[in-house]
Amino acid sequence: MPGTLINAAQAVFTNTIIAKFASLLGEQESNTQKAIHAAIPMVLTSVLYKVGYQQDAARICELSKHAAGNDFFGHLHELSVNEGGLTAGSALLTKGSEYARTILTNRTDNVTKEISRFAGIAASSAAFITGIACFAVLDTIGRQIANSSLDINGMTAWLATQRSSNISAIPAGLQVKEALGITHYPGEKATTGPRTSLYIILALIAIAVIIFVCYKSCYNTRTETITTTTDTITRTTTPTQPDTTRAILPNGQSITLYKGDTEEKLVSFLSDPSAKIDGKNGNWFNFTRISFDRNSANLLLESDKQLKNIVAILNAFPKAEIKISGYTDNVGDSAVNARLSQQRAENVQAKLKDLGANAKQLKGAKGYGPAFPLGDNGTEEGRALNRRIAINHGPEAGWATQEVDPRVARIVANTIGVDTHNHIDTLLTTAEIPGPDIDLAGEMKRSGLSAICMTFALDYQKLQKPGEAYERFMNGLSAMDQQLKNNGMKRVLNLADLRTAHNNHQPTVIQSVEGGHFLEGHLERVEEAYNKGLRHLGLLHDSDASTPLGDVYTNTPQWGGLTAFGANVIKECNRLGILVDLAHANLETVTAALKVAAHPVIISHTGLNTQLGQNPNMARMMQPRLISKEQAKIVADAGGVIGVWTHLADTPLEYAQNVRALVDVIGVDHVCMGTDTKLTPSYRPGGGQNQARVGERTNQAWQNQSSGFYYTVKKR
């Protein structure tokens, strides 16, 4: 950690990162930097103030560990290179917003307004930066806790040593005390006098009242209220707990159950060979002891007991397959409700995996918002029933295949559907290979796709030393070898292989890589990669390779378009039979590449710059990555193909319209699908599987999607 906590947190935001953020937010770089340097000490001041209270210190310690395990650097890079952008579902933005509400509580708006005023940026930009600052500060604290094996007291003592450096880092003119509603900085002596004495007296009176109320409540009903952005969940318990029982599972494990609760019903169902199975909708079991943090989809620790029981049950019944569903009441905006229910369902599924559930038994997570109410939304009791997380167990536990129109299924069955750009996150370091099991085959079947161009990027974290990109590439292929073996799949190496796999109803993959960083100036590595199964090479990605191949469209041009080495790589790919992908290349690079290429090329994931969707922030962020009609015609005239991504399409219909718009320009023979999504859950080294943001997963590309990706698209 570079020196002090404040320095470590600020060091994350390099000039490159700040420049990217400024572009995304539409702000000046100097103002963006000013906002970041204001937000970090502002946030840290609030943290230092809170850890003076034991309960808050415990919460900060818990949050810091949580943040450190949520791959801040990976999310920061994704956002900085425009992957995901300023969307409500972005994991970075979602977590940052949640952390901000916890650290700043009811002062969040005040802090945002002050940073906006101080830095001269929009309030929305200030809110964005404040959230990321909260994530950065907590991540830094969390890594220190892990590195030094600190407990709560150790963390508090260490943070106390950071007070003076934090005060020194506060920019002149930033009104920290006023924004946070404090009278002195942590470690400073508060002003004493008659008014202070009065405050102390009032505080003591308030404490006495609280103690009295708590004392009374210990002998009466205890009510816990959790308020979310769309609902208020009230659970009332009495000193008399429900009767418990012990259940011995088929594998010999014993678990404690509450009689009549979720687990008992599920065990009874799975143990009874004559249990009635709902062949149409599956069998449903509602969770009863799942709780979420205020204003978020963060699971509370009290949920672990029931979730651990569910994991034990799944392990004891290995053939059981379930889907997790989330629901809300009808209060508030329906779109917000749907998003929250989706995030909660995904978090429950992710937690089950973290606790040891077999990923192959978890067949998806879906949020339905206010749909399918159990109670009357006109009453509080009814609304409480409707706010729930449920388990669906049924034939295939599958919402996808069960809801497919037979006419659509016939079209899909007779079509070789290929997604030309689909990320499968893989581990790229030797120590972590092969990584967690992924249900690639299951997700492929649900999608309806015959194949995906299975790709991964090597520059997800900065490449710092010679040979590192090559090592990541080889490790990535090895990890994918293992995952394919686990899923009973293999790569196709030519068109005949693809047709055979499709005819045999066997999902398959075409090996791809995004960026030629692994070449490092060694042309012979192209053939080496070919021999290992590579058939699709993305020439460029977001950062320049150590031996550049061409100019990236989101970076300042440096090479005058295609480099000599880039031209040689294209020629070698043509000789071997590797498809060259010019996604991420600027116009000059594409134009030069078309002159060199002896075979057609692909631009696997983009869209027409006339199809901007309904989200102005997303449209502004994606603008440099879109293609004009004139550019599209140049590629098509050379025999090339262009893939349409799902970005800037909030519904399947919008996606179909975006595809049609490109077809109208260059013809159907030159248009394909390149979603730039992920069939399997996101994974970052050291951070486990991450919560998916809306639109990130292929089979969950849109809200309320009721079938797999290709089925959904073909329906349009």
Side-chain angles (χ1 to χ4, degrees):
M1 180 173 295
T4 62
L5 190 163
I6 191 76
N7 287 341
Q10 289 180 337
V12 173
F13 300 97
T14 62
N15 291 336
T16 301
I17 294 291
I18 290 172
K20 293 282 188 178
F21 283 6
S23 175
L24 294 178
L25 296 169
E27 304 285 357
Q28 295 181 8
E29 287 186 30
S30 59
N31 290 348
T32 303
Q33 183 178 47
K34 190 175 182 181
I36 291 172
H37 287 177
I40 291 177
M42 177 82 80
V43 168
L44 185 51
T45 298
S46 183
V47 169
L48 295 174
Y49 198 85
K50 286 182 178 297
V51 295
Y53 302 89
Q54 186 172 6
Q55 184 175 358
D56 285 341
R59 184 61 173 144
I60 292 296
C61 186
E62 178 187 358
L63 281 174
S64 298
K65 293 177 181 178
H66 186 271
N70 269 278
D71 190 26
F72 172 71
F73 291 104
H75 290 313
L76 184 67
H77 177 75
E78 282 187 359
L79 189 62
S80 72
V81 297
N82 299 343
E83 294 180 4
L86 309 180
T87 59
S90 165
L92 178 60
L93 295 179
T94 300
K95 291 297 180 186
S97 179
E98 292 167 2
Y99 293 144
R101 286 193 295 268
T102 303
I103 294 174
L104 304 174
T105 58
N106 63 342
R107 308 300 299 185
T108 304
D109 289 344
N110 301 71
V111 168
T112 297
K113 290 177 182 177
E114 173 56 16
I115 291 174
S116 173
R117 179 203 65 81
F118 176 78
I121 62 175
S124 58
S125 300
F128 164 76
I129 288 173
T130 299
I132 288 186
C134 289
F135 202 160
V137 168
L138 289 175
D139 175 78
T140 306
I141 296 172
R143 287 184 288 112
Q144 179 69 14
I145 290 172
N147 293 339
S148 302
S149 301
L150 300 178
D151 57 12
I152 295 174
N153 292 332
M155 177 202 72
T156 303
W158 172 67
L159 286 175
T161 67
Q162 305 299 312
R163 293 169 178 169
S164 60
S165 59
N166 182 60
I167 293 175
S168 299
I170 296 173
L174 182 66
Q175 299 175 3
V176 174
K177 295 178 183 177
E178 292 81 357
L180 293 176
I182 59 178
T183 58
H184 60 283
Y185 290 119
E188 285 186 338
K189 289 185 178 180
T191 304
T192 59
R195 293 183 64 186
T196 304
S197 300
L198 176 61
Y199 295 150
I200 293 173
I201 293 170
L202 291 174
L204 290 173
I205 293 173
I207 292 170
V209 171
I210 292 170
I211 292 173
F212 174 75
V213 172
C214 292
Y215 177 81
K216 292 279 288 183
S217 67
C218 289
Y219 294 91
N220 292 285
T221 299
R222 177 174 64 86
T223 301
E224 176 193 8
T225 301
I226 303 174
T227 303
T228 72
T229 55
T230 58
D231 58 4
T232 303
I233 305 173
T234 305
R235 297 183 181 85
T236 304
T237 61
T238 64
T240 303
Q241 293 289 342
D243 293 336
T244 60
T245 183
R246 300 288 292 177
I248 305 299
L249 301 175
N251 61 356
Q253 184 176 355
S254 174
I255 60 175
T256 300
L257 309 175
Y258 289 118
K259 289 185 177 180
D261 213 346
T262 313
E263 299 98 301
E264 186 181 50
K265 292 177 180 177
L266 184 59
V267 170
S268 176
F269 172 78
L270 294 173
S271 302
D272 184 0
S274 62
K276 184 178 179 180
I277 297 176
D278 187 331
K280 180 179 180 181
N281 300 312
N283 296 75
W284 293 89
F285 305 88
N286 293 323
F287 282 103
T288 53
R289 302 194 310 282
I290 297 294
S291 303
F292 294 91
D293 206 354
R294 181 173 297 177
N295 297 322
S296 80
N298 284 346
L299 279 162
L300 296 180
L301 292 176
E302 64 195 54
S303 306
D304 279 10
K305 183 174 291 187
Q306 186 164 55
L307 292 174
K308 287 178 180 178
N309 279 346
I310 297 299
V311 170
I313 293 169
L314 289 174
N315 290 339
F317 294 90
K319 293 184 179 180
E321 296 180 346
I322 65 172
K323 169 193 158 189
I324 305 299
S325 300
Y327 306 87
T328 67
D329 58 29
N330 67 350
V331 177
D333 182 84
S334 60
V336 175
N337 284 340
R339 183 164 60 247
L340 179 62
S341 65
Q342 179 70 35
Q343 291 171 345
R344 286 182 168 182
E346 288 175 352
N347 276 5
V348 169
Q349 178 179 249
K351 186 65 174 179
L352 289 172
K353 291 179 182 178
D354 290 343
L355 293 173
N358 185 340
K360 294 182 179 180
Q361 291 180 267
L362 303 175
K363 296 302 181 181
K366 186 170 180 61
Y368 293 91
F372 310 111
L374 295 179
D376 181 2
N377 275 311
T379 67
E380 176 52 41
E381 293 77 10
R383 290 193 294 274
L385 284 174
N386 297 334
R387 298 187 295 263
R388 67 195 188 279
I389 298 291
I391 292 173
N392 176 244
H393 180 283
E396 302 179 49
W399 48 270
T401 55
Q402 294 176 25
E403 299 181 20
V404 173
D405 186 314
R407 295 169 298 175
V408 174
R410 284 194 296 271
I411 295 173
V412 169
N414 294 325
T415 306
I416 299 179
V418 180
D419 181 354
T420 61
H421 192 75
N422 198 291
H423 286 268
I424 302 298
D425 284 356
T426 185
L427 297 175
L428 304 181
T429 61
T430 304
E432 296 182 299
I433 291 175
D437 286 335
I438 57 175
D439 186 18
L440 179 58
E443 292 294 339
M444 285 287 297
K445 290 176 181 178
R446 276 187 285 281
S447 73
L449 292 164
S450 303
I452 61 168
C453 291
M454 181 174 70
T455 195
F456 61 104
L458 305 175
D459 58 341
Y460 70 100
Q461 290 182 352
K462 185 177 181 181
L463 295 162
Q464 298 180 331
K465 58 184 180 181
E468 186 176 8
Y470 178 72
E471 181 182 3
R472 288 184 186 179
F473 176 67
M474 300 303 289
N475 286 337
L477 290 181
S478 296
M480 286 185 169
D481 286 341
Q482 187 61 52
Q483 294 296 353
L484 291 172
K485 180 180 178 181
N486 293 346
N487 282 270
M489 298 172 63
K490 63 180 182 179
R491 301 177 179 92
V492 294
L493 303 179
N494 50 50
L495 181 57
D497 288 349
L498 179 59
R499 286 173 173 161
T500 298
H502 175 72
N503 292 336
N504 293 334
H505 306 290
Q506 177 63 43
T508 189
V509 301
I510 300 163
Q511 185 62 63
S512 176
V513 68
E514 191 168 24
H517 303 80
F518 72 97
L519 299 173
E520 297 176 318
H522 296 274
L523 190 62
E524 69 277 7
R525 288 182 182 174
V526 177
E527 186 166 4
E528 182 182 5
Y530 176 85
N531 291 335
K532 289 186 174 294
L534 187 74
R535 293 296 184 270
H536 180 164
L537 172 63
L539 198 66
L540 306 173
H541 194 225
D542 292 295
S543 63
D544 290 322
S546 58
T547 301
L549 296 98
D551 283 314
V552 177
Y553 54 23
T554 50
N555 297 340
T556 302
Q558 300 183 65
W559 318 112
L562 187 71
T563 65
F565 182 63
N568 288 334
V569 169
I570 292 174
K571 293 175 183 177
E572 183 68 355
C573 287
N574 287 170
R575 181 183 73 84
L576 294 166
I578 296 175
L579 178 63
V580 175
D581 190 344
L582 297 179
H584 293 268
N586 70 358
L587 178 59
E588 290 74 19
T589 302
V590 171
T591 303
L594 292 176
K595 294 178 180 178
V596 170
H599 299 297
V601 302
I602 186 173
I603 296 180
S604 62
H605 53 294
T606 184
L608 275 180
N609 62 7
T610 56
Q611 306 298 114
L612 299 179
Q614 308 302 317
N615 187 327
N617 282 334
M618 177 68 88
R620 184 175 67 246
M621 183 198 71
M622 290 295 181
Q623 188 71 44
R625 297 169 172 263
L626 301 176
I627 192 168
S628 70
K629 293 180 180 180
E630 293 71 25
Q631 292 170 326
K633 289 176 181 178
I634 293 173
V635 175
D637 288 344
V641 178
I642 300 173
V644 180
W645 57 17
T646 54
H647 304 310
L648 302 178
D650 293 333
T651 66
L653 178 58
E654 282 191 40
Y655 181 69
Q657 290 169 340
N658 291 351
V659 172
R660 180 57 184 268
L662 188 56
V663 168
D664 288 344
V665 174
I666 59 177
V668 68
D669 291 339
H670 299 282
V671 179
C672 62
M673 299 178 299
T675 66
D676 196 21
T677 60
K678 301 179 181 184
L679 263 175
T680 56
S682 299
Y683 186 87
R684 289 293 181 185
Q689 291 183 348
N690 297 325
Q691 174 187 338
R693 59 179 181 266
V694 175
E696 180 183 34
R697 295 286 301 280
T698 314
N699 286 328
Q700 300 163 25
W702 299 286
Q703 290 286 358
N704 301 319
Q705 184 177 330
S706 61
S707 57
F709 173 79
Y710 199 40
Y711 291 109
T712 300
V713 172
K714 282 297 181 183
K715 188 175 181 180
R716 298 298 162 184

